[in-house]
Amino acid sequence: MTASSSAPNPAPPQVLLAHHLRQLKLPTFLREYDHVAAQAAREGLDHPRYLLRLAELELIDRERRMVERRIRAAKFPAVKSFDTFDFAAIPSLNKPLTLELARCEYVVARENIIALGNSGTGKTHISLALGLAACQRGFSVAFLTAASLARQLMEARDERRLGRLQAQLAAVKLLIVDELGYVPLSQTGAELLFETFSQRHERGSTIVTSNLPFEEWTSIFGNQRLTGALLDRLTHHVHILEMNGESYRLRQSKARQRRKPQPSEPAPVAEPNENNGV
Ligand code: ADP
Ligand code: MG
């Protein structure tokens, strides 16, 4: 184990070991080997058990680092989970189906999800929670609003790198397109978005959230034929989440106002309107 060498002032083996472990990309091994050695000595663990414990720590840490990397790569605007989602607040949402989807089998089966409902009912929250669950289960995810995706596609086309962006979008296991319908798309934006959905059809899962029912999707794409073809692809293997109900924020601010009805106080400041900027 020790580097016996006749060279003057040989580097302690720890230096070389640290170098090798870095090279081998085993940071947890490096960080923990001393500490686990002390544990092993106390507990009387033999060498295989000592190495096994280190290898297990490295695996656990590696999995955590990969989940974190996938979360960063997904570019979620916020990290939200099902733990903080109150299903009772949105009775129209099929809870068993949603929890089933959280297991991500639809990603393996390359099926899609469409969440439909008015503003503030938790569509973005649910899509973020599904995205997080997918990252945790080892799938690559990309999260974009429809407007941003259309803009990025158009920019890429102008800069002659559309093919590369399309290949990246086609490669992620789960593409989440939030807020389809809030902003009407330009003709080119609509066509490029359609192409993106087409390229993913039966190759990867897509989640779309929209405040508009299907009948009104023509107003987003500005073209009935394109909308028909798009719906045909998206809804081929689809789980629909109905999310119509009272806005969660509005409901919370109403509840807050009910809790402190003090007439001497000035009227509470209104919450920003959910439909502003839409
Ligand atoms: P939508 O995308 O449908 O407009 P959001 O997902 O943005 O709605 O929800 C608005 C805010 O309310 C977010 O902060 C979200 O986390 C919260 N929210 C909405 N519905 C729920 C719910 N049922 N339980 C917990 N938080 C919720
Ligand atoms: Mg939203």
Side-chain angles (χ1 to χ4, degrees):
M1 292 272 284
T2 52
S4 63
S5 151
S6 57
N9 295 329
Q14 286 89 334
V15 175
L16 211 51
L17 179 62
H19 173 265
H20 292 344
L21 288 174
R22 274 195 206 99
Q23 194 108 12
L24 288 165
K25 296 197 173 20
L26 298 170
T28 310
F29 243 88
L30 175 57
R31 199 183 61 236
E32 298 292 334
Y33 78 84
D34 245 351
H35 174 233
V36 178
Q39 258 183 11
R42 270 199 310 277
E43 296 173 28
L45 296 188
D46 55 13
H47 279 93
R49 286 190 177 77
Y50 164 61
L51 288 174
L52 176 64
R53 193 168 288 181
L54 273 177
E56 281 170 350
L57 287 177
E58 186 72 57
L59 272 180
I60 293 168
D61 254 18
R62 180 171 294 183
E63 181 54 33
R64 188 182 45 75
R65 289 193 299 270
M66 273 158 61
V67 170
E68 281 168 6
R69 202 170 310 141
R70 284 191 286 267
I71 291 172
R72 273 197 305 277
K75 300 212 171 82
F76 297 125
V79 175
K80 300 214 176 185
S81 70
F82 288 104
D83 296 344
T84 55
F85 192 80
D86 175 12
F87 281 91
I90 177 86
S92 73
L93 178 64
N94 182 338
K95 182 177 173 181
L97 169 63
T98 310
L99 293 179
E100 167 69 33
L101 293 172
R103 293 170 45 199
C104 295
E105 276 156 23
Y106 73 97
V107 183
V108 180
R110 296 160 191 191
E111 294 163 353
N112 302 322
I113 300 176
I114 301 180
L116 297 173
N118 51 295
S119 183
T121 54
K123 298 182 298 298
T124 299
H125 189 136
I126 285 287
S127 64
L128 287 168
L130 287 168
L132 180 66
C135 287
Q136 287 166 339
R137 283 172 192 259
F139 301 106
S140 55
V141 179
F143 185 103
L144 297 122
T145 62
S148 152
L149 176 56
R151 194 181 53 245
Q152 287 187 33
L153 286 163
M154 287 196 290
E155 276 172 16
R157 197 191 57 153
D158 292 346
E159 294 164 13
R160 296 181 169 277
R161 51 179 179 81
L162 180 60
R164 197 154 19 113
L165 178 58
Q166 283 177 328
Q168 283 167 4
L169 290 167
V172 288
K173 296 286 181 209
L174 174 61
L175 176 69
I176 305 177
V177 181
D178 196 23
E179 298 187 351
L180 188 73
Y182 278 91
V183 189
L185 300 165
S186 67
Q187 164 106 25
T188 319
E191 281 166 12
L192 290 172
L193 212 61
F194 170 76
E195 253 179 54
T196 302
F197 289 134
S198 284
Q199 286 165 351
R200 294 187 60 73
H201 180 53
E202 292 191 329
R203 282 197 221 137
S205 293
T206 306
I207 298 181
V208 173
T209 81
S210 180
N211 58 322
L212 294 181
F214 291 135
E215 306 86 78
E216 290 174 37
W217 279 30
T218 306
S219 67
I220 311 170
F221 292 94
N223 174 330
Q224 204 157 10
R225 212 162 41 89
L226 194 69
T227 310
L230 177 117
L231 279 174
D232 188 50
R233 282 162 183 70
L234 265 188
T235 58
H236 186 197
H237 302 288
V238 76
H239 305 274
I240 309 266
L241 300 177
E242 296 273 359
M243 298 187 66
N244 274 301
E246 194 180 2
S247 157
Y248 189 79
R249 270 189 293 233
L250 209 61
R251 186 180 148 132
Q252 279 201 319
S253 68
K254 277 191 203 157
R256 270 200 301 277
Q257 285 171 28
R258 269 199 304 276
R259 254 181 268 129
K260 42 177 178 177
Q262 290 168 4
S264 58
E265 265 187 7
V269 180
E271 289 256 312
N273 187 336
E274 310 247 324
N275 293 316
N276 278 353
V278 162

